[in-house]
Amino acid sequence: VISPKVFVEYLASKAFRFYTGVPCSYFKNVIRYIEDQHDLSYVMAPNEGSALGLASGAYLGGQPAVVMIQNSGLGNLINPLTSLNAIYQVPVLIFVSGRAYGIADEPQHEIMGKKMTQLLEALDCPYWELPQEENALAGALDKGIEQMMTRKKPVVFLVRQGTFGAYAAAPASSAYPMKRIDALAVIRECLGEEDLIFATTGKPSREFFAIGDRPGNFYMQGSMGHIGALALGTALARPDRRIVVVDGDGAFLMHMGIVSSIGHYGPKNLVHLVVDNESYETTGDQNTTSVSTDFEAIAKACGYRAAVCFKEQTSLRQSLPHWLRQDGPVLVRIKVNRQETKDIPRITTRYTAAQIAESFKNFVEKTPVPE
Ligand SMILES: Cc1ncc(C[n+]2csc(CCOP(=O)(O)OP(=O)(O)O)c2C)c(N)n1
Ligand SMILES: [Mg+2]
């Protein structure tokens, strides 16, 4: 086990003071440690490709930089890796967590966990496993950094589960009275029987499943940030069915461009809910940038017919049925706190991902496509 302090201090001694990424729970304590250091910065990136862009810009600005991501986000990073860093010869030190890498894990991680080393090889990207013992750390990092500088390209360290030890940071506080699961319960109460629901990646979909599974719920397991696109596709294919998206702030920010597409095509049958805790709660409660971003203004500027925000349960319960029946697209931002709900079951204990898609599609097909 490597202490976050030892890891970060060693990197800082090699001039790495600029860190960026999208969180994985494997890096939870490292991110907290960096955020607590006055002379280091952790820059929140909306997605992994942006993280590599940010780190590359820092390098051009004279600051060598580190990217920390989950392996699920390797897909997002490949575009700048191949068409920016490789050809412009911009070195960046990248740490990639190994979900489903040599361990049993959730199905959404399986393919990437098995194939990521082959992917890195295909991309001519040098990679090593990060040692799990502190006494091997300096040697391994030195070798990687040396290769990165001489070859003038990004190098990757794969990080196994449990590599980093504990770091006790003060928990982030939040003044909003509602818990995420309570907001989800209100949403569940207000749904019509025929409504089609798309619930976002991570704990929001797990909690929504726990509150009360119903036909017509699509639970996104991986593919973070793409729930809006999925819902827009179904909304356009089935203008006769009401589509309700249950998004998270981190996921909404990840591929926010889809908001412009939703606004542009303007499906009347789509309501976009964002359960906003200003956090990537699922991966260990790291801050997102949502605190400083006006989602309602963005939605309206992109062509949504209305955008509203609720901060407590009573008004949400009173008004949500109205907004769910309005002509869309409508954005409903729901501010919730960062309190964790323990022991939420995994959806995969009941359904495979393929079963989720199949039963959803069957539910849609119960009513024929209108002429
Ligand atoms: C491309 C990608 N990057 C990172 C992750 C890891 N991940 C899973 S859920 C999650 C946080 C989601 O945050 P948000 O949408 O705000 O939901 P919350 O957990 O806060 O309710 C992250 C970072 C992932 N699954 N996919
Ligand atoms: Mg969140």
Side-chain angles (χ1 to χ4, degrees):
V1 175
I2 292 170
S3 112
K5 180 173 194 288
V6 167
F7 176 69
V8 174
E9 276 183 353
Y10 192 75
L11 289 176
S13 79
K14 299 284 165 183
F16 291 97
R17 293 194 186 80
F18 189 108
Y19 298 80
T20 181
V22 177
C24 176
S25 58
Y26 289 16
F27 297 113
K28 171 179 163 179
N29 295 325
V30 175
I31 294 170
R32 291 203 167 160
Y33 179 81
I34 297 164
E35 286 186 322
D36 277 354
Q37 309 310 306
H38 298 298
D39 55 337
L40 305 177
S41 55
Y42 179 82
V43 180
M44 296 169 268
N47 62 62
E48 292 79 2
S50 296
L52 186 54
L54 266 158
S56 302
Y59 170 83
L60 295 178
Q63 289 198 39
V66 171
V67 165
M68 288 184 284
I69 61 161
Q70 183 171 95
N71 53 349
S72 58
L74 197 55
N76 284 334
L77 182 142
I78 286 175
N79 179 23
L81 189 66
T82 53
S83 62
L84 173 68
N85 298 76
I87 60 169
Y88 288 87
Q89 303 192 330
V90 175
V92 170
L93 190 57
I94 305 174
F95 294 88
V96 179
S97 71
R99 294 292 307 257
Y101 176 64
I103 53 169
D105 208 326
E106 290 285 291
Q108 67 271 23
H109 295 294
E110 224 164 80
I111 295 173
M112 190 53 97
K114 281 205 184 80
K115 302 282 187 188
M116 65 180 179
T117 55
Q118 280 168 264
L119 255 177
L120 293 169
E121 271 159 36
L123 295 166
D124 278 331
C125 181
Y127 68 89
W128 302 269
E129 272 193 25
L130 190 72
Q132 293 183 285
E133 300 304 327
E134 278 181 5
N135 59 18
L137 184 68
L141 288 176
D142 284 352
K143 186 165 116 198
I145 294 166
E146 198 254 331
Q147 289 276 316
M148 179 187 89
M149 293 315 291
T150 54
R151 295 168 75 167
K152 295 205 83 181
K153 56 157 65 174
V155 297
V156 166
F157 280 97
L158 305 177
V159 178
R160 285 187 184 268
Q161 189 181 39
T163 295
F164 294 112
Y167 174 71
S173 67
S174 169
Y176 302 110
M178 232 185 316
K179 280 178 77 167
R180 178 182 54 211
I181 198 162
D182 298 331
L184 294 173
V186 174
I187 296 167
R188 177 72 176 78
E189 271 171 47
C190 298
L191 293 173
E193 215 164 289
E194 296 299 317
D195 291 350
L196 303 175
I197 315 305
F198 288 94
T200 187
T201 317
K203 287 194 205 159
S205 62
R206 283 172 55 190
E207 288 182 354
F208 203 67
F209 168 72
I211 285 165
D213 185 30
R214 62 185 275 290
N217 282 5
F218 186 98
Y219 305 106
M220 187 73 111
Q221 307 270 287
S223 211
M224 181 173 164
H226 290 304
I227 200 84
L230 196 66
L232 176 59
T234 304
L236 295 175
R238 290 302 304 255
D240 59 316
R241 299 293 293 265
R242 174 99 343 208
I243 311 288
V244 180
V245 184
V246 182
D247 215 338
D249 53 309
F252 182 83
L253 288 162
M254 182 166 272
H255 296 300
M256 206 158 64
I258 197 63
V259 174
S260 176
S261 298
I262 293 172
H264 183 83
Y265 293 100
K268 287 193 171 159
N269 55 332
L270 190 147
V271 184
H272 196 164
L273 312 174
V274 184
V275 181
D276 176 11
N277 49 11
E278 300 170 4
S279 164
Y280 299 104
E281 200 281 320
T282 297
T283 48
D285 198 22
Q286 301 85 4
N287 295 321
T288 68
T289 56
S290 88
V291 69
S292 54
T293 301
D294 187 340
F295 292 170
E296 301 92 290
I298 287 170
K300 281 188 196 154
C302 288
Y304 282 46
R305 285 190 176 79
V308 290
C309 180
F310 296 97
K311 297 179 178 167
E312 47 83 35
Q313 215 171 342
T314 314
S315 57
L316 178 67
R317 184 174 277 122
Q318 263 165 16
S319 302
L320 191 61
H322 165 80
W323 291 110
L324 288 174
R325 302 294 137 206
Q326 284 298 297
D327 270 0
V330 168
L331 183 108
V332 180
R333 184 185 207 175
I334 306 168
K335 284 283 190 181
V336 299
N337 63 40
R338 309 163 73 129
Q339 254 180 60
E340 189 188 358
T341 304
K342 301 256 188 231
D343 301 323
I344 296 296
R346 290 192 180 270
I347 299 153
T348 45
T349 57
R350 194 179 303 165
Y351 302 119
T352 65
Q355 284 169 338
I356 293 171
E358 197 195 349
S359 86
F360 180 86
K361 193 160 186 297
N362 288 339
F363 184 76
V364 176
E365 282 166 2
K366 271 196 348 188
T367 56
V369 183
E371 291 298 313

